[in-house]
């Protein structure tokens, strides 16, 4: 088993080494990260809906996609004041979905508003999408963003010891990877900044994320609510195949390296909250059940799973209705 795991890590390190140099550019003008993806205002602060926000902060130097918006209930205190009096806000990293190919950090504004109104700071991320760079670039990006937040916590009145990750769909996959890969060298790329700073998170919120690309089609077929045509994740043009840069069905070792399940048992895990709908034919809800079983077996301190009857994917999932459960989970795990 150890030899097999070592072989997978060697494969993963090889993939990581080429992620910055073997990226593929889109053949069309498909966006790579959002409204500010080609420049835009850099690091401006403003207020929106009663929230203080610092926009388009570069958390890494490699791509224009590596930007975050930082939200707080109010402007940050003077530098280091929060560190001195212990009033630094807990932070939730929000990671947008979009099949690893689309989306923007502002897509999550309803969730961001709910979190900020509950007293959290929020760092909402863009990251390199599959048309720009293949796996593991997006994982390396979200790791770099956590390192940036932790390294600059004192400047923004944040608590570096209370950071959670939250995402939906592809963003949930990235949030789960943050929770399951602390200390995995291939994902902490020093070229992306703040080397030596921890990218660990203290809690994970997973809204209907893909976890094991190899089992998705079988799980779709097992759901009587779904059509045969929904079992398409193994195709060369599937979101998962584009994300990997290889057809899922052709690279089982790479699929294992890319799964958060591959890293369980190597380091202590944070608590997880998992939300999914049983009518989801885009990412089957059995992905979440597979993750929950594996987390429990690996000794995660808490694994809270809700399978919402009749709920689908994306806009067909009742995120707003589930936010009280999310806030209760964050309050328990971050002590806020």
């Amino acid at each position: 088993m150890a030899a097999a795991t070592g072989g997978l890590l060697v494969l993963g390190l090889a993939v990581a080494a080429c992620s910055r140099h073997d990226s593929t550019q889109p053949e069309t003008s498909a966006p790579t990260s959002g409204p500010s993806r080609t420049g835009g205002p850099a690091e401006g602060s403003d207020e929106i809906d009663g929230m203080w926000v610092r926009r388009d902060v570069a958390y890494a130097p490699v791509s224009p996609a590596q930007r975050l918006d930082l939200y707080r209930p109010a402007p940050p205190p003077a530098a280091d004041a929060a560190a001195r009096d212990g009033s630094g806000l807990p932070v939730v990293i929000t990671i947008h979905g979009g099949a690893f190919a689309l989306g923007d950090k502002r897509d999550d504004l309803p969730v961001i508003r709910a979190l900020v109104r509950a007293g959290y700071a929020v760092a909402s991320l863009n990251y390199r999408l599959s048309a720009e760079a293949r796996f593991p670039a997006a994982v390396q990006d979200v790791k770099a963003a956590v390192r940036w937040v932790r390294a600059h916590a004192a400047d923004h009145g944040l608590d570096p010891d209370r950071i959670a990750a939250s995402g939906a769909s592809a963003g949930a996959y990235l949030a789960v990877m943050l929770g399951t890969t602390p200390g995995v060298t291939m994902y902490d790329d020093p070229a992306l900044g703040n080397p030596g700073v921890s990218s660990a998170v203290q809690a994970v919120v997973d809204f209907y994320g893909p976890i094991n690309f190899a089992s998705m089609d079988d799980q779709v077929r097992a759901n009587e609510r779904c059509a045969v045509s929904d079992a398409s994740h193994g195709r060369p043009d599937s979101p998962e195949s584009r994300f990997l840069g290889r057809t899922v069905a052709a690279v089982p070792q790479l699929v294992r390296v890319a799964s958060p399940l591959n890293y369980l048992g190597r380091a202590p895990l944070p608590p997880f909250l998992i939300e999914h709908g049983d009518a989801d034919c885009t990412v089957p809800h059995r992905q979440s059940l597979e993750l929950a079983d594996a987390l429990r077996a690996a000794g995660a301190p808490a694994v809270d799973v809700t399978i919402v009857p009749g709920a689908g994917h994306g806009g067909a999932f009742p995120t707003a209705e589930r936010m009280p459960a999310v806030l209760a989970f964050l309050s328990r795990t971050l002590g806020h």
Side-chain angles (χ1 to χ4, degrees):
M1 179 66 179
T5 301
L8 289 174
L9 282 178
V10 169
L11 173 62
L13 289 168
V15 172
C18 71
S19 66
R20 295 192 304 276
H21 307 294
D22 190 30
S23 300
T24 56
Q25 296 299 324
E27 296 180 1
T28 69
S29 58
T32 60
S33 59
S36 302
R37 54 182 64 90
T38 58
E43 302 194 16
S45 61
D46 200 355
E47 287 195 14
I48 178 172
D49 294 344
M51 303 181 292
W52 178 89
V53 56
R54 183 180 176 193
R55 302 181 189 275
D56 297 306
V57 180
Y59 63 78
V62 170
S63 167
Q66 294 163 331
R67 299 290 185 272
L68 63 80
D69 292 342
L70 181 62
Y71 296 83
R72 286 178 45 98
D80 294 329
R84 289 194 300 270
D85 65 15
S87 63
L89 294 179
V91 187
V92 181
I93 306 287
T94 61
I95 311 171
H96 70 79
F100 302 109
L102 304 167
D104 179 74
K105 54 187 163 56
R106 299 177 193 177
D107 294 346
D108 291 328
L109 269 175
V111 170
I112 292 167
R113 289 189 191 101
L115 291 167
V116 173
R117 288 169 183 168
Y120 295 92
V122 175
S124 184
L125 310 183
N126 280 341
Y127 50 90
R128 285 174 287 176
L129 302 175
S130 59
E132 179 181 0
R134 69 187 187 184
F135 171 83
V139 183
Q140 292 170 333
D141 285 354
V142 297
K143 290 269 194 173
V146 174
R147 294 198 306 273
W148 186 93
V149 168
R150 184 164 275 124
H152 293 84
D155 299 330
H156 298 94
L158 310 176
D159 187 338
D161 298 321
R162 293 189 293 166
I163 300 177
S166 173
S169 194
Y173 163 85
L174 294 170
V176 173
M177 287 293 279
L178 282 172
T180 57
T181 62
V184 179
T185 305
M186 68 175 280
Y187 295 124
D188 276 306
D189 183 353
L192 301 186
N194 300 295
V197 176
S198 172
S199 60
V201 296
Q202 284 67 59
V204 174
V205 177
D206 165 6
F207 284 105
Y208 45 87
I211 300 301
N212 178 2
F213 302 159
S215 61
M216 293 179 75
D217 281 344
D218 285 343
Q219 292 171 352
V220 169
R221 294 185 191 102
N223 190 341
E224 62 184 12
R225 297 172 180 265
C226 301
V228 173
S229 59
D230 293 324
S232 60
H233 298 283
R235 290 167 36 176
D237 62 347
S238 73
E240 297 79 20
S241 294
R242 294 196 305 267
F243 175 65
L244 295 177
R246 306 285 192 278
T247 301
V248 165
V251 284
Q253 283 191 310
L254 181 58
V255 169
R256 287 182 64 188
V257 169
S259 173
L261 303 179
N262 184 54
Y263 304 96
L264 299 181
R266 302 183 187 196
L269 294 165
F272 283 75
L273 175 69
I274 303 171
E275 300 270 336
H276 217 130
D278 69 0
D280 190 336
C281 296
T282 302
V283 175
H285 71 280
R286 286 180 174 82
Q287 289 283 286
S288 287
L289 297 177
E290 184 177 357
L291 173 63
D293 288 345
L295 289 171
R296 290 172 179 141
V303 183
D304 299 344
V305 184
T306 299
I307 304 300
V308 181
H313 197 81
F317 185 85
T319 303
E321 296 175 20
R322 299 301 304 159
M323 282 308 295
V326 172
L327 295 175
F329 168 79
L330 292 173
S331 179
R332 291 194 304 272
T333 55
L334 299 184
H336 180 62

